[in-house]
Amino acid sequence: MRRRFLSYIMLLTGAVFALTMMLGHESAAQAAGLFDHKQTGPEIFIGEVQSYGDYELKADACATFVDKLSEALQQQGYAVSGRADLTNEAGRHDAIGTGDEAGKLSEIHMDAIVHGHQFDRGYTAAKLAHYADAVMGRAYFHQEDRIAAWKKSTAAYRLSPAKQQDAERIGRKYQADYLLFVNLKDFDVRLKHSIFATHTERETKGKKLSASLDYYLVNAETGKTYEGHVENKKTAQMVNFGLGKTGKGMDVDTLLGEVMETSAKAVANDIKKHGLSEVKGNAGFTLAH
């Protein structure tokens, strides 16, 4: 009897262990596989979605954009991957050179921004301004003619050598062909020049919406970078959009979600039409200036 009882306990223990391992594996898979990998197109790793403007968006707003961007890219036929902390809220505040992967992704993002055509040192987070000074030198920002010429250009460029190496290592780790970074500079909903919190239930009639972002598509192997820009500040268009879709004004959360979806689709469309062709290969691009 005792021997049979021990055998039963051992079988039960083994079953529990197997179930625990299975659940743990499933949990790990869900944590790592945030996006649908059914697509067979180029693999795009979303490195970071963050606000490096002179004020910051809430983390949940960045996370909402990540979800909509992932869906828009998949609809274009791209395989999409990313880390659990894509919005990397701490990355905006951590000291430069922290060394962990989230920190490296934050620095790759900042490197792409400061070398980009849209960068404006007067409209940036303090961390980004400090990074720009360290990489570009303060004297660079007094070269007005050179900066003006660069802003008029749309040429692809590459990351700083050290960040190019980091991008290559991260791309290999996640088996990604390209890294994608989005700087959500400005997403506001206003009524009579007053900013409303996104939890308000007030409708959007009369509201003004401001949406502005830059994105950076990086060839993981070469560091070749394409910079895109999406902006929408047409009040009437946003109001008519809300009225046309719902028959009435939307609450702020809904409107914010809708404009983020529209912006995410614009990014995915631009990547398909221009971005990928610009960063393929290793020839015909400008060195980091």
Side-chain angles (χ1 to χ4, degrees), residues 199 201 214 229:
H199 64 266
E201 292 300 321
D214 299 325
H229 182 69

Side-chain angles (χ1 to χ4, degrees), residues 49 178 251 269 276:
V49 173
Y178 304 96
D251 62 56
N269 289 338
L276 280 179

Side-chain angles (χ1 to χ4, degrees), residues 13 72-73 123:
T13 302
L73 289 169
Y123 186 69

Side-chain angles (χ1 to χ4, degrees), residues 138-187:
R138 292 300 296 270
Y140 171 79
F141 298 102
H142 298 288
Q143 300 174 21
E144 296 180 2
D145 291 342
R146 185 178 182 183
I147 292 175
W150 180 249
K151 285 184 179 296
K152 291 179 181 178
S153 171
T154 58
Y157 55 94
R158 72 176 179 187
L159 303 173
S160 300
K163 304 311 167 190
Q164 180 178 339
Q165 292 173 6
D166 288 340
E168 185 177 6
R169 282 193 290 268
I170 292 172
R172 284 201 304 266
K173 175 181 176 180
Y174 292 96
Q175 299 181 329
D177 304 298
Y178 304 96
L179 308 184
L180 178 60
F181 302 87
V182 182
N183 181 17
L184 298 179
K185 295 190 300 188
D186 182 18
F187 272 79

Side-chain angles (χ1 to χ4, degrees), residues 155-282:
Y157 55 94
R158 72 176 179 187
L159 303 173
S160 300
K163 304 311 167 190
Q164 180 178 339
Q165 292 173 6
D166 288 340
E168 185 177 6
R169 282 193 290 268
I170 292 172
R172 284 201 304 266
K173 175 181 176 180
Y174 292 96
Q175 299 181 329
D177 304 298
Y178 304 96
L179 308 184
L180 178 60
F181 302 87
V182 182
N183 181 17
L184 298 179
K185 295 190 300 188
D186 182 18
F187 272 79
D188 282 346
V189 179
R190 301 169 185 260
L191 177 61
K192 294 182 179 178
H193 308 293
S194 297
I195 301 177
F196 282 80
T198 58
H199 64 266
T200 181
E201 292 300 321
R202 297 190 62 171
E203 292 185 347
T204 59
K205 293 178 181 178
K207 288 187 172 61
K208 176 182 179 181
L209 186 136
S210 172
S212 179
L213 66 88
D214 299 325
Y215 81 87
Y216 305 87
L217 184 68
V218 179
N219 185 316
E221 184 178 356
T222 66
K224 190 175 181 182
T225 302
Y226 170 81
E227 177 187 38
H229 182 69
V230 175
E231 186 163 1
N232 196 330
K233 295 186 178 181
K234 297 179 181 178
T235 306
Q237 179 179 334
M238 286 296 101
V239 174
N240 291 338
F241 175 80
L243 292 173
K245 190 164 185 177
T246 67
K248 63 178 183 179
M250 300 179 186
D251 62 56
V252 178
D253 275 333
T254 303
L255 180 57
L256 192 61
E258 292 291 345
V259 75
M260 283 190 170
E261 181 176 337
T262 301
S263 300
K265 287 181 178 179
V267 171
N269 289 338
D270 192 47
I271 285 176
K272 185 173 184 178
K273 290 181 180 179
H274 305 290
L276 280 179
S277 62
E278 289 289 333
V279 297
K280 285 181 179 177
N282 194 27

Side-chain angles (χ1 to χ4, degrees), residues 45 55 88 115 119:
F45 176 83
Y55 74 99
N88 188 19
H115 288 124
F119 178 63

